[in-house]
Amino acid sequence: MIKNLMRGLGALSLSLALVPLLPPPAAQTAQAAQAAPAAEVTTLADAVGLLKVTEEDRAGYTRASFRHWTAGEDATDGCDTAAEVLLAEAVVAPAVGTSCKLTGGRWTSYFDGQEVTDAGSLDVAHTVALGEAWDSGASAWTAGRREAYANDQGADVSLVAVTSRTNRRKSDHDPADWMPPSPEVQCRYTGEWVSTKLRWQLTADDRELEALKVYAEGPCEDTIVRYAPAS
């Protein structure tokens, strides 16, 4: 009996030795945080100075070059990227029905300051529009990277819920040709524009850079830019 007990203890010890040692949950969380790129924090003026300046080229662009909308961050929730952004930005959460149909809820379209209670009146806009991204370097990307850009929920400034009419006016213009009609949010928009370009290593053309400098060296000199390079 004692021999059998000793054999059992020996087998248990061997089994434990073969089990890989895992760090405690807190350590796993710390390791995950270390794996994510650290966010860069700088002034708007310094951030503008980091932009590489090149000529833009729209040749070959189609919206189909950027696959969107995909299944979003949670592939099990039945909502695509755009719907997940609407849910994340809701001031009052909407009800979520079959096929992620959103009813009720309330949003603030920061471009124009409008309060919206109908999700159908909103667009999920790319802060740096797809056409502008193409001009600024995305034309050389793989299809997979363009898809990642078009569905970027890794930075909360990449995609924003705004009124459809304002997004239509924005179109694919850069800040040299369009700014939000609400002056009080123009510094925010300028910072988010530059943040997105730096996150994705997109370039700027001369007119765009000069427009950005007007804000960075003037009314938006206190604006802080935060960005983490896209993987």
Side-chain angles (χ1 to χ4, degrees), residues 20-231:
L21 295 178
L22 296 175
Q28 294 180 47
T29 302
Q31 289 175 1
Q34 290 173 3
E40 301 286 343
V41 181
T42 187
T43 64
L44 178 58
D46 285 345
V48 170
L50 295 174
L51 292 171
K52 182 180 178 182
V53 181
T54 63
E55 293 293 324
E56 294 186 348
D57 184 2
R58 186 62 61 94
Y61 167 71
T62 65
R63 284 182 64 83
S65 299
F66 295 81
R67 180 173 174 261
H68 66 293
W69 303 105
T70 56
E73 289 187 318
D74 184 354
T76 67
D77 66 1
C79 298
D80 63 15
T81 300
E84 288 184 357
V85 171
L86 290 173
L87 288 168
E89 295 198 357
V91 177
V92 176
V96 183
T98 305
S99 300
C100 199
K101 181 177 175 57
L102 306 182
T103 55
R106 180 164 56 88
W107 293 263
T108 300
S109 168
Y110 97 81
F111 281 0
D112 52 17
Q114 296 297 305
E115 295 292 322
V116 179
T117 55
D118 176 11
S121 299
L122 294 166
D123 282 351
V124 173
H126 296 89
T127 297
V128 176
L130 301 181
E132 170 69 20
W134 179 272
D135 296 349
S136 307
S139 60
W141 293 351
T142 64
R145 186 165 178 82
R146 287 196 289 267
E147 178 180 325
Y149 176 84
N151 298 275
D152 183 18
Q153 291 178 268
D156 58 11
V157 304
S158 296
L159 300 170
V160 59
V162 295
T163 56
S164 299
R165 62 179 178 275
T166 305
N167 189 42
R168 300 293 186 273
R169 295 189 184 105
K170 172 182 180 287
S171 185
D172 56 7
H173 298 311
D174 67 31
D177 296 312
W178 186 89
M179 288 293 286
S182 297
E184 61 270 20
V185 301
Q186 290 177 352
C187 290
R188 170 184 170 181
Y189 178 74
T190 305
E192 293 182 356
W193 177 276
V194 176
S195 172
T196 303
K197 286 230 159 176
L198 292 176
R199 172 171 168 77
W200 289 92
Q201 298 181 329
L202 295 170
T203 61
D205 64 19
D206 289 326
R207 289 184 66 250
E208 175 187 350
L209 188 70
E210 290 308 310
L212 293 170
K213 285 181 178 179
V214 168
Y215 288 93
E217 296 170 4
C220 305
E221 62 181 353
D222 295 328
T223 298
I224 298 299
V225 173
R226 296 175 176 82
Y227 69 94
S231 56

